[in-house]
Amino acid sequence: MPDAIHVEREGGLLTLRLNRPDKKNALTRAMYAQLAEALSEADQSPEINAVLITGSAECFTAGNDIADFIEQPPSNLDSPVFHFMLSLLDCRKPVIAAVAGAAVGIGTTLLLHCDLVYVSRDARLRMPFVNLGLCPEFGSSLILPRLLGHAKAAELLLLGEGFSGEQAAVWGVATEALGSGEAALAKAREMALRFEALPAEAVRISKQLMKAPDRELLRKVIEEEGALFTERLRSPEALAALSGFINRR
Ligand code: COA
């Protein structure tokens, strides 16, 4: 079976490509663990100056693997999904995302922690946590209302409404929306490679300054959300919704 996370080096750029096309790049525990390890290594390595996270030109990710949510739900902050998200939060190097097609659940949430986000205009972003009997995760209950205002964020987080890549760029969830998946991937790579020519220390300090004011509050919110999310995963509401997806055919 090919590696579900494809890791590529191009000079100082490390690309992590989600590669599980038969399951729309849904993320398993093993994939989170691999992503966490790669991000931590990139953070430590003096040879890496930026990380690009992408899927294919057709699909970014359908979010957490739903079978995993039922069979091996994360139970605490020591679970692979938390390791991944915390390594993303802690990464001192710029992280760039290229998004086309579906970006569901954590596929949208993780974008809120990247530095540059290039999407196709017709990308489909959605955080259907309530629809699955769950709740927002990894700081989205803090970041989205601040970015969009409570009333708009409520549409996304309390109704689980989806939105396009074009809208994501208008709201500032994405840096830029491009005409196709290929164009989004190409633009993300082009911008990620620019860090090669920039003074690495100055970039690192600048990112740190941008993230510092909210760092502690964000951690606190992530822990609160995480405790509720893991509890919700075992709730009758969530178990019914998650099994509904598995048995939908
Ligand atoms: N976990 C596990 N498997 C998933 C998955 C997920 N999150 N999302 C998709 N898949 C699987 C499907 O079960 C299907 O597998 P099968 O062919 O063995 O039955 C395959 O991927 C293709 O999915 P399908 O739904 O047929 O593709 P689509 O193009 O019609 O729709 C999505 C794509 C992403 C819109 C849709 O699959 C979806 O809504 N997935 C669930 C997203 C979700 O709720 N994620 C969790 C958020 S917390």
Side-chain angles (χ1 to χ4, degrees):
M1 201 175 77
D3 226 344
I5 304 291
H6 195 87
V7 182
E8 268 166 35
R9 263 291 293 279
E10 186 179 3
L13 175 63
L14 188 78
T15 298
L16 305 175
R17 189 160 53 78
L18 312 179
N19 182 35
R20 197 186 172 213
D22 55 324
K23 296 290 180 188
K24 301 283 169 184
N25 295 335
L27 292 156
T28 61
R29 288 166 61 91
M31 290 163 77
Y32 288 128
Q34 206 185 332
L35 287 167
E37 197 183 327
L39 275 166
S40 301
E41 277 175 22
D43 187 51
Q44 296 300 321
S45 168
E47 284 156 27
I48 302 293
N49 45 38
V51 180
L52 173 62
I53 301 180
T54 185
S56 68
E58 288 75 43
C59 182
F60 185 57
T61 172
N64 202 100
D65 186 282
I66 291 189
D68 258 17
F69 259 165
I70 297 173
E71 288 154 23
Q72 299 179 287
S75 53
N76 56 46
L77 297 184
D78 204 24
S79 305
V81 63
F82 285 98
H83 288 176
F84 162 56
M85 285 303 290
L86 294 178
S87 59
L88 178 59
L89 241 73
D90 288 341
C91 189
R92 291 164 301 171
K93 316 270 169 81
V95 181
I96 300 93
V99 177
V104 189
I106 198 163
T108 294
T109 307
L110 76 85
L111 303 178
L112 305 174
H113 299 284
C114 293
D115 300 296
L116 297 166
V117 178
Y118 297 95
V119 295
S120 63
R121 268 183 217 126
D122 61 358
R124 289 166 288 120
L125 293 85
R126 193 175 170 221
M127 291 162 288
F129 300 117
V130 279
N131 315 72
L132 292 171
L134 302 170
C135 65
E137 50 164 14
F138 295 112
S140 52
S141 65
L142 173 73
I143 299 170
L144 282 171
R146 282 186 175 183
L147 208 53
L148 317 181
H150 180 86
K152 202 64 202 172
E155 211 169 46
L156 310 189
L157 293 178
L158 301 187
L159 288 172
E161 287 287 284
F163 55 106
S164 66
E166 188 162 22
Q167 189 61 62
V170 171
W171 283 333
V173 170
T175 310
E176 186 181 344
L178 294 111
S180 67
E182 285 82 5
L185 267 56
K187 178 79 187 222
R189 177 179 162 273
E190 179 200 327
M191 301 310 269
L193 283 168
R194 286 214 193 165
F195 288 103
E196 193 98 65
L198 288 167
E201 191 67 4
V203 172
R204 189 179 66 69
I205 290 171
S206 302
K207 172 166 176 171
Q208 191 188 345
L209 284 168
M210 290 169 76
K211 297 276 186 183
D214 277 340
R215 184 171 293 276
E216 274 184 33
L217 175 59
L218 195 54
R219 294 245 160 200
K220 186 169 154 281
V221 171
I222 288 175
E223 281 180 25
E224 285 167 4
E225 289 169 335
L228 290 167
F229 194 98
T230 50
E231 199 179 294
R232 296 275 343 142
L233 274 171
R234 288 159 180 82
S235 69
E237 283 180 354
L239 290 171
L242 296 169
S243 329
F245 178 80
I246 299 285
N247 300 320
R248 75 198 197 284
R249 295 209 200 279

